[in-house]
Amino acid sequence: MHGQPLHRMLGRTLLALTLVAGASSALAEDGVGEAGKDAKGFYIKSGDYRLNINGHFQYRYFATFRDEDSVGTNNDIATGFGFKRARLGVSGNLTKELGFVVQGDFLNGDAFSLHDAYATWKFSDAAVLKVGQIFKLPVLREELNSHLTQLAVDRSTVNAVFTPAYSQGVQLDLNGEQLRGLFAFSDGFNARNSDFTSAAESDFALSARGEYRVMGDWKQQDMFTSWRGAQTAAFVGAALHYQTGGETAGTVDREKLEYTIDGSMRGDGWNAFAYFVGRSDEAGANSFDDFGVVAQGGAFVTDTLEVFGRYGIVLPDDSRASGDDFAE
């Protein structure tokens, strides 16, 4: 689907939505189902079957300021409008146990890039298996929280440097009252939309994340902001990721070990979150140990106005060519 003109993509999307809308009306008229809108988006529902249709876009005015002596031909000031994201997706259930998610973004206005395409099997409320191009690997809490629920306009630079982002594989989610664990077997860092012979993949990758609910409700962890009137909640988490390559076709001789610990607390109109992340990266004769720290917090000064702040710093290995610390 890459490279197709935006008008053609939008035309097909609108046609699909029109057909879905027609099907929903037919279901409702026949008395065998219902259609409507709730927190998951527009939906069609009949028995155990449910189809959710959702989408959103983020449109921004950008302004960057650089040193006048920057290398290259970039000007010291660059401004303009642009889409950060324009996302469209469907999800739902075929049975009580079998679910699915498919969603992606229109990039640069004219190409569609797949993000999530996975199936879920719900063994019980405490155990769910995911299979496919499944997710953001269960490592960094900042990445796992949706871009729609961040405290700032987007995630931190530390997250951009250390996130394993999307991958392909299988993941088992185990959910308890106080503890939950996420375990993934995958193709490793940044293996979205890649074939099994791609150099972007590892031989194999293992990820494990554990979380403990000190107080509050698990759903409160999904959003960094805490509105006035919210109950107090606190969570701690830790994760470990290991991957290796170079032994199967196409992969690169490289090993990565990443680890993190994080904590968050939120209450009546205030929030705080912090984490540490480290990564050991070995590629051939080169070996690097990089670290990052993020701390952020916010408070509502009125019912709808929130002030917040965030500090993040990337601490690259001294032996890297660009080994200077970077703070934001």
Side-chain angles (χ1 to χ4, degrees), residues 105-120:
D105 277 332
F106 292 97
L107 301 178
N108 301 320
D110 62 358
F112 185 81
S113 177
L114 183 66
H115 277 247
D116 301 272
Y118 62 85
T120 61

Side-chain angles (χ1 to χ4, degrees), residues 1-14 105-113:
M1 298 176 71
H2 285 275
Q4 296 189 27
L6 179 60
H7 70 273
R8 185 179 302 170
M9 293 299 303
L10 289 176
R12 292 182 178 180
T13 300
L14 290 173
D105 277 332
F106 292 97
L107 301 178
N108 301 320
D110 62 358
F112 185 81
S113 177

Side-chain angles (χ1 to χ4, degrees), residues 4 21 45-46 62-63 67 110 130 138 172 191 207 222 229 283 301 314:
Q4 296 189 27
K45 183 178 180 182
S46 178
F62 295 85
D67 190 295
D110 62 358
K130 299 178 180 179
L172 178 64
S207 308
D222 297 335
V301 294
V314 178

Side-chain angles (χ1 to χ4, degrees), residues 22-143:
S24 66
S25 299
L27 283 172
E29 290 175 0
D30 291 342
V32 297
E34 62 179 276
K37 182 182 181 301
D38 59 15
K40 295 182 179 180
F42 296 98
Y43 70 87
I44 306 167
K45 183 178 180 182
S46 178
D48 293 332
Y49 171 79
R50 176 178 171 124
L51 175 66
N52 305 306
I53 306 166
N54 57 73
H56 61 269
F57 67 85
Q58 293 178 321
Y59 188 64
R60 301 175 185 171
Y61 178 78
F62 295 85
T64 62
F65 304 90
R66 306 180 181 89
D67 190 295
E68 293 183 359
D69 297 325
S70 296
V71 176
T73 59
N74 289 328
N75 294 326
D76 55 325
I77 300 176
T79 62
F81 294 94
F83 280 97
K84 175 64 177 179
R85 297 175 180 90
R87 185 161 297 182
L88 183 66
V90 295
S91 63
N93 291 84
L94 299 178
T95 67
K96 288 182 179 179
E97 296 81 15
L98 181 60
F100 61 92
V101 174
V102 179
Q103 66 174 351
D105 277 332
F106 292 97
L107 301 178
N108 301 320
D110 62 358
F112 185 81
S113 177
L114 183 66
H115 277 247
D116 301 272
Y118 62 85
T120 61
W121 183 265
K122 186 176 181 181
F123 296 99
S124 67
D125 290 338
V128 178
L129 182 69
K130 299 178 180 179
V131 181
Q133 180 158 293
I134 37 182
F135 41 75
K136 302 158 183 179
L137 288 172
V139 181
L140 297 183
R141 177 76 261 163
E142 186 181 1
E143 181 66 37

Side-chain angles (χ1 to χ4, degrees), residues 47-298:
D48 293 332
Y49 171 79
R50 176 178 171 124
L51 175 66
N52 305 306
I53 306 166
N54 57 73
H56 61 269
F57 67 85
Q58 293 178 321
Y59 188 64
R60 301 175 185 171
Y61 178 78
F62 295 85
T64 62
F65 304 90
R66 306 180 181 89
D67 190 295
E68 293 183 359
D69 297 325
S70 296
V71 176
T73 59
N74 289 328
N75 294 326
D76 55 325
I77 300 176
T79 62
F81 294 94
F83 280 97
K84 175 64 177 179
R85 297 175 180 90
R87 185 161 297 182
L88 183 66
V90 295
S91 63
N93 291 84
L94 299 178
T95 67
K96 288 182 179 179
E97 296 81 15
L98 181 60
F100 61 92
V101 174
V102 179
Q103 66 174 351
D105 277 332
F106 292 97
L107 301 178
N108 301 320
D110 62 358
F112 185 81
S113 177
L114 183 66
H115 277 247
D116 301 272
Y118 62 85
T120 61
W121 183 265
K122 186 176 181 181
F123 296 99
S124 67
D125 290 338
V128 178
L129 182 69
K130 299 178 180 179
V131 181
Q133 180 158 293
I134 37 182
F135 41 75
K136 302 158 183 179
L137 288 172
V139 181
L140 297 183
R141 177 76 261 163
E142 186 181 1
E143 181 66 37
L144 292 175
N145 277 29
S146 168
H147 56 270
L148 297 174
T149 62
Q150 297 294 315
L151 183 64
V153 68
D154 218 325
R155 299 181 180 93
S156 67
T157 301
V158 173
N159 182 85
V161 171
F162 289 93
T163 180
Y166 287 83
S167 192
Q168 301 170 345
V170 296
Q171 177 173 309
L172 178 64
D173 296 355
L174 300 177
N175 305 301
E177 288 293 325
Q178 296 293 128
L179 286 169
R180 67 183 182 185
L182 301 89
F183 307 93
F185 174 66
S186 72
D187 289 334
F189 273 50
N190 298 306
R192 187 182 74 181
N193 298 333
S194 61
D195 200 357
F196 73 100
T197 57
S198 170
E201 298 196 355
S202 62
D203 292 338
F204 70 88
L206 299 172
S207 308
R209 178 174 173 85
E211 298 176 338
Y212 178 69
R213 179 177 64 87
V214 181
M215 64 180 77
D217 185 273
W218 278 119
K219 291 183 179 180
Q220 292 178 275
Q221 187 178 224
D222 297 335
M223 177 178 287
F224 288 121
T225 291
S226 184
W227 297 94
R228 285 185 171 181
Q231 66 174 342
T232 301
F235 309 90
V236 293
L240 187 67
H241 173 92
Y242 172 77
Q243 68 180 62
T244 183
E247 299 299 325
T248 61
T251 61
V252 177
D253 183 11
R254 189 173 189 176
E255 289 190 2
K256 289 184 182 182
L257 175 66
E258 185 163 299
Y259 44 90
T260 183
I261 184 170
D262 55 82
S264 61
M265 192 167 185
R266 46 182 292 165
D268 184 3
W270 59 269
N271 66 86
F273 170 70
Y275 70 93
F276 165 82
V277 57
R279 182 170 64 208
S280 176
D281 192 348
E282 296 185 10
N286 298 315
S287 178
F288 305 103
D289 290 291
D290 308 308
F291 305 97
V293 177
V294 170
Q296 66 181 38

